[in-house]
């Protein structure tokens, strides 16, 4: 299928698909005319990539995960589980930082609030 067809089938823009291909996340063959020709299996792969991006993963991590995700369970080496655990910890640390920042802002709001009698 051509890039426009893959874009329509996956809901991802052709520009993003070219980015994915440039970063080795998806692959295509080339026709004799130089057009990209994607296998039908790329639709599911692109959707999976979108889910991984939505989970906050970067393209390098996704590139590391894709072979693991597509390997049969008996061939998996544990790399995927390690990478996912690292990403969960990264996001949990980010959440702790955000919660701390929210607490500070809430305290500042309380400390700087005008008394209700002087509000107009």
């Amino acid at each position: 299928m051509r890039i426009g067809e893959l874009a329509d089938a996956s809901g991802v823009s052709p520009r993003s698909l070219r980015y994915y291909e440039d970063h080795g996340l998806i692959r295509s063959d080339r026709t004799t005319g130089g057009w990209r020709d994607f296998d039908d299996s790329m639709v599911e792969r692109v959707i999976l990539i979108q889910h991984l991006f939505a989970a906050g993963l970067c393209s390098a991590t996704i590139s590391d995960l894709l072979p693991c995700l597509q390997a049969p369970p008996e061939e998996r080496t544990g790399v995927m589980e390690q990478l996912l655990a690292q990403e969960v910890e990264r996001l949990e640390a980010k959440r702790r930082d955000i919660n701390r920042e929210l607490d500070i802002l809430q305290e500042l709001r309380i400390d700087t609030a005008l008394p209700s009698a002087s509000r107009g």
Side-chain angles (χ1 to χ4, degrees):
M1 78 177 61
R2 298 248 172 102
I3 195 166
E5 295 169 314
L6 180 55
D8 290 343
S10 64
V12 176
S13 71
R15 181 177 179 169
S16 292
L17 295 173
R18 285 189 287 276
Y19 173 87
Y20 296 172
E21 188 175 22
D22 289 344
H23 287 81
L25 303 177
I26 61 174
R27 61 194 164 282
S28 68
D29 294 320
R30 294 289 179 153
T31 66
T32 55
W35 295 92
R36 288 176 174 87
D37 185 28
F38 293 95
D39 184 83
D40 290 345
S41 66
M42 287 297 115
V43 174
E44 286 182 34
R45 187 173 177 109
V46 167
I47 292 169
L48 174 59
I49 291 166
Q50 285 290 288
H51 288 299
L52 295 170
F53 274 125
L57 304 180
C58 67
S59 57
T61 301
I62 292 171
S63 181
D64 291 341
L65 279 176
L66 285 173
C68 302
L69 289 169
Q70 296 185 321
E74 64 275 3
E75 292 179 17
R76 294 182 184 166
T77 63
V79 170
M80 177 177 62
E81 290 78 9
Q82 286 178 319
L83 286 170
L84 291 174
Q86 289 170 358
E87 289 303 313
V88 166
E89 177 54 37
R90 180 185 65 79
L91 290 173
E92 286 176 346
K94 191 179 211 180
R95 180 176 26 199
R96 287 189 298 272
D97 290 343
I98 290 170
N99 286 338
R100 185 181 65 249
E101 292 167 5
L102 285 169
D103 289 344
I104 291 168
L105 287 174
Q106 293 291 22
E107 287 178 29
L108 279 171
R109 284 181 67 200
I110 292 167
D111 291 347
T112 60
L114 295 174
S116 59
S118 66
R119 290 184 188 161

